[in-house]
Every structure is written in C-alpha cells, then in structure tokens.
Amino acid sequence: MRVITGSAKGRRLKTLPGIDVRPTTDGVKEAIFSIVQFEVEDAVVLDLFAGSGQLGIEALSRGAAKAVFVDNSAESVKVVKDNLKHTGLEENAVVINTANNAFLRSTREKFDIAILDPPYNHNLIQKSMPLLVEKMADSGIIICEHEKETVLPESFGDFSVSKVYRHGRVTLTAYRKKAEFNSESEESEDNGGNSERNED
C-alpha cells in the first residue's frame, strides 16, 4: 500500500493487521481521486472510518489544506499517526479516536470532501450519512466505497447521488448537494455525458 501521487508519492504505508481489514486497492484509490481531481487542492477533507488513513493521506499528498481522520479503534489511530509521520504530512492532519457518529454530532467543521470506506455489510454508510450531510460545504462531495451488491439511497437530506462508478467488485457512489448536482447534470447533458461509468 503506497501513496500514488503528490508530495509523498511512492511512500509505503502501514496497514492494519487482521482478517477483517480490507485496504482500498490502488486502482480504487485512483478512481476516487479521479472523481475529485480538480477539487482536492486546498480542500478540507474528512476520512471517516479512517483505518490506516491512506485516503486522507492521499488527499494531503495531492494538496488538500487539511484532513481529519476519524476512527473508533485506538490501533487504527496509531497506524494513521505513524503513516502521517512517515509521509511528513502530519502538520495539516487531525486524528481523532472516537465513534464516527459521535464525531459528526460534535464537530463544527465544514468539509469540502468526505470519503467513507467502512467495513462492509454493517450499514455504516446509511447510519452516518444523515449526520454527515449537515457538515458538508454547499459545493462539497461525499464519496462512499461499498460492495457492488449494495445500492445506497438516492438521497440523504439535501445531498443526492450524482454519479455511480463501478470498479470490479467495488462501487463508488458520489453524492452532491441537489442544486450542485442539477447544474452538473445539465452540463453533462449538454456534453452528452453519462451519469454512470463502468471501469471493469
């Protein structure tokens, strides 16, 4: 597992031990950052269910102004901090050891990008999204990584599905605020774009 691009390009990252650990592959990570490639620089990024922290670290490496890493596992938080130190990106990072929903209820931060990659089959995305959408900037984007068998709801609060990307056995569902999504859809229609891209 490594940083793909940016100031920490090529740096190897620690992973968490255990059979339930499922790090995001380089291919899926590249797909995530292709979605937000023009939005990462100077953004405030939330890496919810941070695990090893590789997604937030990738964002910092690509020029994000700040990344907040949240995980309820003390072991995970230690790995995130070790990876941040190894990549030299700890200055613009905040690492929080708490339950994700407790964090979302208490934070006053507004996020430009939020990336959710929780353990599969626990409905954690569905449980977190109603709180998360209240913490997003109006032009913000939420990207959810989940197994392809799961179909997420079309909307949470003011945020609705803008695009669905399929990448092998993984699906990425992107949410934007409805007004932002509507203007994006009009632009896509003008350009003959599709709302879904297959990457198998």
Side-chain angles (χ1 to χ4, degrees):
M1 191 171 68
R2 63 188 176 87
V3 180
I4 297 173
T5 296
S7 63
K9 180 180 179 179
R11 292 291 180 92
R12 292 283 174 183
L13 302 175
K14 289 184 178 180
T15 59
L16 286 159
I19 59 173
D20 293 329
V21 174
R22 179 194 43 75
T24 298
T25 66
D26 280 356
V28 173
K29 183 160 60 174
E30 190 66 76
I32 290 171
F33 284 93
S34 291
I35 298 169
V36 296
Q37 60 180 314
F38 301 115
E39 300 171 78
V40 175
E41 191 168 355
D42 297 326
V44 178
V45 178
L46 173 63
D47 188 350
L48 201 61
F49 312 101
S52 64
Q54 67 158 323
L55 297 175
I57 287 170
E58 186 72 33
L60 288 172
S61 181
R62 293 174 185 239
K66 180 180 181 180
V68 179
F69 301 81
V70 179
D71 205 288
N72 64 357
S73 163
E75 184 176 20
S76 174
V77 164
K78 182 181 184 305
V79 170
V80 172
K81 289 180 177 179
D82 287 346
N83 283 334
L84 285 165
K85 184 176 181 180
H86 177 62
T87 54
L89 295 170
E90 64 265 55
E91 182 178 351
N92 295 321
V94 177
V95 185
I96 300 172
N97 183 194
T98 190
N100 58 291
N101 281 2
F103 166 77
L104 291 172
R105 289 188 188 97
S106 63
T107 186
R108 295 183 179 180
E109 194 85 64
K110 286 287 185 179
F111 299 100
D112 302 301
I113 300 170
I115 306 173
L116 282 65
D117 178 24
Y120 289 171
N121 302 317
H122 294 285
N123 294 321
L124 293 173
I125 292 173
Q126 296 89 323
K127 293 173 182 175
S128 297
M129 284 290 287
L131 293 169
L132 175 58
V133 295
E134 300 298 323
K135 307 298 179 178
M136 298 299 297
D138 286 344
S139 60
I141 180 171
I142 303 168
I143 301 176
C144 304
E145 178 182 337
H146 54 93
E147 65 275 37
K148 69 176 184 179
E149 294 81 10
T150 296
V151 178
L152 294 177
E154 277 297 312
S155 63
F156 292 94
D158 290 336
F159 279 70
S160 62
V161 174
S162 62
K163 290 191 179 182
V164 177
Y165 304 79
R166 307 193 192 287
H167 198 285
R169 295 194 57 79
V170 172
T171 295
L172 302 173
T173 301
Y175 288 85
R176 291 186 186 272
K177 205 160 192 178
K178 290 174 183 176
E180 298 290 330
F181 169 51
N182 288 339
S183 61
E184 182 183 274
S185 295
E186 289 168 8
E187 183 178 332
S188 295
E189 288 171 8
D190 290 341
N191 295 329
N194 296 319
S195 63
E196 181 172 298
R197 181 179 74 197
N198 292 319
E199 301 188 27
D200 292 341

